[in-house]
Amino acid sequence: MVALNHYLIFCLLFALNAVVSAHNITEILSGFPEYSDYNNFLSQTKLSDEINSRQTLTVLVLSNGALSSLTAKHPLSVIKKALSLHVVLDYFDPKKLHQISQGSTLSTTLYQTSGNAPGNLGFVNITDLKGGKVGFGSAAPGSKLDSTYVKPVKQIPYNISILEISAPIIAPGILTAPAPSASDANITALLEKAGCKTFASLIVSSGVIKTYMTAVEKGLTLFAPNDEAFKAAGVPDLSKLTNAELVSVLLYHSLAGYSPKGTLKTTSSPIKTLATNGAGKYELTVSTAGDAVTLHTGVDSSRLADTVTDSTPLVIFTVDNVLLPAELFAPTPLGASPPAPPMETPGGAPANSPEADAENSTAKGAGHMHAPALLTALFTISATVTFSIFLS
């Protein structure tokens, strides 16, 4: 009985932590119209999903006026890189800002984790300038502290802190070398360079590359199996498939819409793929463990291995296994007939868009994710614990 009580108490504390720690950056900022442009760009670039999937971070927000100097002159792919430099992977509230050890610290940002930041350009320099001022700047040698702390916006202690700063933090080269636009992207060249030559060859020979290029302007996410994946045990001989079946398999490795890793990490519902059509769902489900993301088909699964490119609105990942849709490869019950494959190449599919001072911050308390089911479970566990202790 004692062991059971301990277990139930552990479950209760775990559930409480889940409720307390959840946050939604777009909901929080929706209560502050002075940051509406910043909030809008977090949504457009899907940085909001990455922020919502993490804990212990600080978001450095800019007022609409301060942000305009950055957004008025640059494409969305560059804006995403610049804003990711404003998401610090550590918790800084006003008190901590003025208690920085030795007066200065270099902190990691989302830009550093993207793999696109050379050297230490993905770090920011936070320096206590005394006299109540705190400066922010790039960690690159010789960079100036061009931005200063303005005020706190919202704090959920040790989970997320939102602080306003006076001006954008700009790392050297982050604005001068924009990524190519989606229309300029050579998908096959990117795939071949990433070790996905077999997949690249298949999408060209089957004509699926044309579907990809049509979709890319509105957003495209690709899961490209590496060459070794096609040689793995259990992978069907794709040459024995009909052309329509092969097209379905290849389209099953893509989503209509821009879904970077952060978006996938926050996805709980099945995802439609470009293969989705009236003859079958052709959906994927997603599971996460820490920063790892795994795709499930109902027949097999594969983790996201590497990011080949992440340039809004195109993102390409490599995966370790060929994704086999259940509509074509699930074991067929005795006496049943497999579903008929689509008769022609789908021209597109429904877009996948998984949507979407402490006193001062407490006054506008929006932003906690609502979890009625979890709360119901909480009360149930609480009652069970109490009843069990009473009986013991």
Side-chain angles (χ1 to χ4, degrees):
M1 181 62 71
V2 173
L4 175 61
N5 289 339
H6 287 172
Y7 173 75
L8 291 172
I9 291 171
F10 170 79
C11 292
L12 174 62
L13 293 175
F14 181 83
L16 277 170
N17 180 68
V19 173
V20 171
S21 64
H23 60 259
N24 186 315
I25 185 64
T26 53
E27 284 188 12
I28 294 173
L29 292 181
S30 66
F32 300 87
E34 61 268 41
Y35 311 122
S36 59
D37 290 346
Y38 190 99
N39 199 15
N40 183 42
F41 279 108
L42 287 184
S43 296
Q44 287 188 55
T45 60
K46 302 298 181 77
L47 283 173
S48 56
D49 292 327
E50 186 68 42
I51 292 170
N52 292 341
S53 72
R54 292 177 176 267
Q55 296 182 22
T56 315
L57 72 169
T58 301
V59 181
L60 305 174
V61 300
L62 298 158
S63 68
N64 294 339
L67 183 65
S68 62
S69 63
L70 171 65
T71 59
K73 305 175 183 178
H74 302 286
L76 197 60
S77 58
V78 172
I79 293 171
K80 178 175 182 176
K81 290 195 296 182
L83 291 185
S84 66
L85 191 63
H86 292 69
V87 182
V88 180
L89 304 185
D90 195 0
Y91 182 85
F92 288 91
D93 56 16
K95 182 178 179 181
K96 185 176 178 179
L97 284 180
H98 295 288
Q99 294 179 345
I100 295 174
S101 178
Q102 299 180 343
S104 184
T105 185
L106 300 183
S107 292
T108 311
T109 69
L110 275 184
Y111 183 43
Q112 186 68 24
T113 67
S114 69
N116 296 321
N120 64 349
L121 294 189
F123 290 78
V124 293
N125 179 354
I126 306 175
T127 299
D128 187 355
L129 300 175
K130 308 303 180 182
K133 291 186 176 182
V134 177
F136 296 83
S138 169
S143 297
K144 296 180 180 180
L145 299 175
D146 290 329
S147 185
T148 56
Y149 166 67
V150 176
K151 65 180 182 182
V153 178
K154 170 77 177 178
Q155 281 74 48
I156 302 176
Y158 312 112
N159 182 12
I160 184 171
S161 176
I162 304 173
L163 308 173
E164 181 183 342
I165 58 175
S166 62
I169 302 169
I170 305 299
I174 199 170
L175 302 180
T176 56
S181 66
S183 59
D184 296 332
N186 187 329
I187 292 176
T188 53
L190 290 170
L191 292 173
E192 290 173 355
K193 186 177 180 180
C196 304
K197 293 182 179 179
T198 301
F199 186 71
S201 175
L202 287 171
I203 63 174
V204 171
S205 62
S206 65
V208 168
I209 185 63
K210 296 178 182 178
T211 304
Y212 286 171
M213 293 310 296
T214 300
V216 73
E217 288 296 341
K218 292 184 178 180
L220 179 67
T221 302
L222 291 184
F223 306 115
N226 57 43
D227 291 337
E228 293 302 312
F230 287 93
K231 304 174 185 177
V235 175
D237 184 352
L238 300 184
S239 67
K240 295 183 179 180
L241 299 178
T242 67
N243 184 65
E245 289 172 336
L246 177 60
V247 166
S248 292
V249 170
L250 297 175
L251 290 177
Y252 190 61
H253 288 74
S254 59
L255 312 178
Y258 172 67
S259 296
K261 190 174 183 180
T263 297
L264 295 172
K265 286 164 65 177
T266 59
T267 300
S268 56
S269 301
I271 307 173
K272 297 182 184 300
T273 67
L274 279 181
T276 300
N277 61 84
K281 290 185 177 181
Y282 287 91
E283 294 176 336
L284 294 167
T285 57
V286 181
S287 65
T288 60
D291 198 48
V293 174
T294 302
L295 304 174
H296 304 274
T297 71
V299 175
D300 65 350
S301 62
S302 181
R303 72 180 182 96
L304 294 191
D306 297 302
T307 302
V308 177
T309 186
D310 182 353
S311 178
T312 314
L314 171 67
V315 58
I316 301 176
F317 301 102
T318 58
V319 291
D320 292 331
N321 300 314
V322 178
L323 301 174
L324 302 176
E327 286 77 3
L328 294 178
F329 299 103
T332 304
L334 188 63
S337 300
M343 299 307 294
E344 56 183 330
T345 302
N352 167 43
S353 51
E355 308 282 19
D357 282 335
E359 293 83 358
N360 184 33
S361 61
T362 303
K364 297 185 177 181
H368 287 280
M369 288 183 177
H370 301 292
L374 185 56
L375 289 174
T376 300
L378 246 173
F379 288 122
T380 303
I381 295 171
S382 300
T384 305
V385 171
T386 304
F387 185 66
S388 299
I389 293 174
F390 176 76
L391 290 179
S392 63

